[in-house]
Amino acid sequence: MLTPVAGPGGSAAPDAAPSAPATTGSAPATTTGTATPSPDASGPATPGPGPSDPERTAPTAPAPVTAADLLAKVSGCTPVSRGRYRKDRGTAATVPVCGTRDAVYWQADMDIDCDGRPGAHCNTGTDPNFSSSTAFTQSDGRALSSEKLPYVVVPAPSGIWDYREHGVRGGSVAAVVYRDRVSYAVVGDVGPTDIIGEASYAAATSLGIDPDPRSGGAPSGVTYIVFKDSRVTPLEDREAAESQGGRLAREFVDSAD
């Protein structure tokens, strides 16, 4: 609807009555409203942005972070651990924990942690080392479900490294990379003081790794990145972990550090 144009006295002018046809040689009639500039006055009028113009288009969301993006970011290592970890019991200690201002990370194998609430795939019958508890719990106090929640395992605090001194705790957000896949998880359990490289049944499944607690896992090539001072609440909220993980991974990759 057109807004009435104020007259000389400041009030809106009433609707004009139809005017008589102009006579030859008389001055042009003045019409109420904004005049449209003639083509030869000061150039053609520039239309404002329309609904499909770029100025009105919402900003494009950044592309999801890829495995290559993250691996490039952690290609070097500034050790934050005082020593190195074993991938499995009886093997040499070769894995340091590395760190930046925003994250800690390590590159190891993946053993399957099937601990927590028992299910069809994780129980005393499928896993000889099964434990019905996890170091961190759900909001209702129950153990986590390895089958449902992607989570990673950090080594228990020791003279080698104490995760608590680096902004890591239960519920911290992690990105796990294997080959060309990225999965987002939380810190959900604590393992031996001298071994590193373990994640839940669900984390393995999301990366295309065999999740069988007896024969599954990956012997090498898994990168674990935990974002400092992050936390999913409630800890068992898988969608929140994925949402926060995507955002934190983008910030991590784009940071100058």
Side-chain angles (χ1 to χ4, degrees):
M1 181 176 69
L2 290 177
T3 303
V5 177
S11 60
D15 293 339
S19 58
T23 58
T24 304
S26 61
T30 301
T31 56
T32 303
T34 303
T36 302
S38 60
D40 59 348
S42 58
T46 302
S52 61
D53 289 337
E55 292 86 350
R56 288 180 176 266
T57 303
T60 303
V65 172
T66 66
D69 292 333
L70 287 168
L71 292 177
K73 190 69 176 181
V74 299
S75 58
C77 177
T78 299
V80 295
S81 58
R82 300 177 186 88
R84 296 177 179 239
Y85 287 94
R86 307 174 191 277
K87 294 180 181 178
D88 295 295
R89 199 169 302 281
T91 62
T94 59
V95 181
V97 176
C98 312
T100 69
R101 179 186 60 191
D102 302 315
V104 293
Y105 58 92
W106 55 93
Q107 295 173 321
D109 61 344
M110 180 182 284
D111 296 325
I112 307 302
D113 184 335
C114 231
D115 295 341
R117 289 161 50 196
H121 303 287
C122 293
N123 53 63
T124 54
T126 62
D127 183 0
N129 299 312
F130 177 78
S131 170
S132 59
S133 64
T134 49
F136 307 107
T137 59
Q138 295 187 160
S139 53
D140 60 5
R142 294 190 297 169
L144 302 178
S145 170
S146 176
E147 293 181 17
K148 296 180 180 179
L149 181 67
Y151 67 74
V152 301
V153 181
V154 293
S158 70
I160 301 175
W161 182 59
D162 187 340
Y163 65 87
R164 300 169 300 183
E165 297 175 355
H166 296 267
V168 177
R169 52 186 171 175
S172 289
V173 183
V176 190
V177 183
Y178 181 65
R179 296 179 177 170
D180 61 349
R181 294 194 184 188
V182 179
S183 178
Y184 296 109
V186 296
V187 172
D189 207 356
V190 170
T193 57
D194 62 338
I195 296 175
I196 203 167
E198 191 174 2
S200 70
Y201 185 103
T205 301
S206 68
L207 290 166
I209 295 173
D210 181 355
D212 189 289
R214 291 177 181 269
S215 58
S220 62
V222 183
T223 300
Y224 303 79
I225 304 169
V226 182
F227 301 108
K228 295 180 180 180
D229 301 316
S230 62
R231 191 174 193 180
V232 172
T233 305
L235 193 151
E236 67 271 19
D237 191 336
R238 181 171 182 168
E239 290 185 1
E242 292 173 351
S243 175
Q244 287 194 46
R247 175 179 57 82
L248 291 169
R250 171 52 62 192
E251 292 175 1
F252 180 61
V253 167
D254 290 346
S255 69
D257 195 359

